[in-house]
Amino acid sequence: MQSHGIAITATLLDAAAVTVVAATAIEARAARRSLPSVRIIETGVGLSKLGKTPIGDVAVSFGLAGALHPDVPAGKVLVPHEVLRPDGETLLCDPVLVTALERAARALGLEPDTRPMITSAALVTGAERATWAGRGYVAVDMETGLIRASRVAALRVVLDTPQRELSRAWLQRGAAALSVRAWTEMPWLVREAPRCARLAAAVLAAAFA
């Protein structure tokens, strides 16, 4: 396969063996459009909708993330080598999966950031971002560190940053989600979330190519 003039010379991910874990409909839809033959499950934020659905032995946590460093822009591809779980343990990402995702990103002309990420039970905002950045973490999601599988890797694209944060209201239900700030973010989210999800899907598709 040729992509942006760079050859991917081997298939590194097996579509029959890998489960792609996506939190939201936007992320899952982007992945399904690019990879109709791969098992993709929509788990909800923080795996809230997973229930008893088995993930399998090999999983790629897929979708969006929040940058912790102010110099990491929206649209940056992340393929961490390790992820801090909410319980304080460190998840060491599977090196074969990581290599496949890194190679796929580079084949598309994108240099992935491989620094550690954290998985948080809540949105990380304000000074808390700087605190985690100071500890060496580049970004945060709400799912990767919760996945319990034999082999796990993460492919994320930055959506929100310290300069443009996501309102906590989007994780709430009912009237709490109807805040003025949340609705003023709507045009940005409608534009940027699908764009970043499609970028992640392009990298994922290249990894299965």
Side-chain angles (χ1 to χ4, degrees):
M1 175 184 172
Q2 286 288 131
S3 183
H4 290 249
I6 300 175
I8 300 176
T9 59
T11 300
L12 293 178
L13 295 187
D14 180 359
V18 177
T19 296
V20 175
V21 177
T24 68
I26 289 174
E27 294 159 319
R29 185 162 52 245
R32 290 186 179 116
R33 285 175 176 169
S34 294
L35 293 161
S37 63
V38 176
R39 181 177 182 240
I40 298 161
I41 57 175
E42 183 185 334
T43 64
V45 175
L47 306 190
S48 59
K49 298 179 181 179
L50 180 62
K52 296 183 179 180
T53 303
I55 289 179
D57 293 331
V58 185
V60 173
S61 175
F62 169 86
L64 309 177
L68 299 172
H69 284 271
D71 60 347
V72 178
K76 183 65 175 178
V77 175
L78 310 170
V79 184
H81 288 194
E82 59 184 59
V83 178
L84 182 67
R85 298 186 189 270
D87 63 7
E89 295 181 357
T90 296
L91 166 66
L92 298 178
C93 296
D94 181 82
V96 174
L97 300 177
V98 166
T99 297
L101 296 169
E102 287 182 11
R103 289 184 61 185
R106 293 182 179 120
L108 297 175
L110 305 166
E111 184 58 35
D113 196 318
T114 62
R115 287 177 289 178
M117 284 178 47
I118 67 168
T119 292
S120 173
L123 283 181
V124 175
T125 58
E128 193 177 0
R129 290 199 195 228
T131 297
W132 283 111
R135 296 176 184 174
Y137 296 96
V138 67
V140 57
D141 71 9
M142 299 180 71
E143 293 79 34
T144 303
L146 298 178
I147 297 172
R148 299 289 176 174
S150 299
R151 300 169 58 199
V152 180
L155 169 62
R156 297 281 173 156
V157 171
V158 171
L159 172 63
D160 54 301
T161 65
Q163 295 91 335
R164 184 154 201 175
E165 296 192 319
L166 189 64
S167 171
R168 294 177 185 269
W170 290 109
L171 297 184
Q172 300 174 9
R173 296 181 179 180
L178 301 178
S179 69
V180 172
R181 180 180 172 187
W183 284 109
T184 58
E185 290 175 357
M186 178 67 82
W188 166 68
L189 276 178
V190 168
R191 180 182 69 252
E192 293 301 315
R195 181 184 72 84
C196 291
R198 289 193 298 270
L199 178 58
V203 175
L204 190 64
F208 283 94

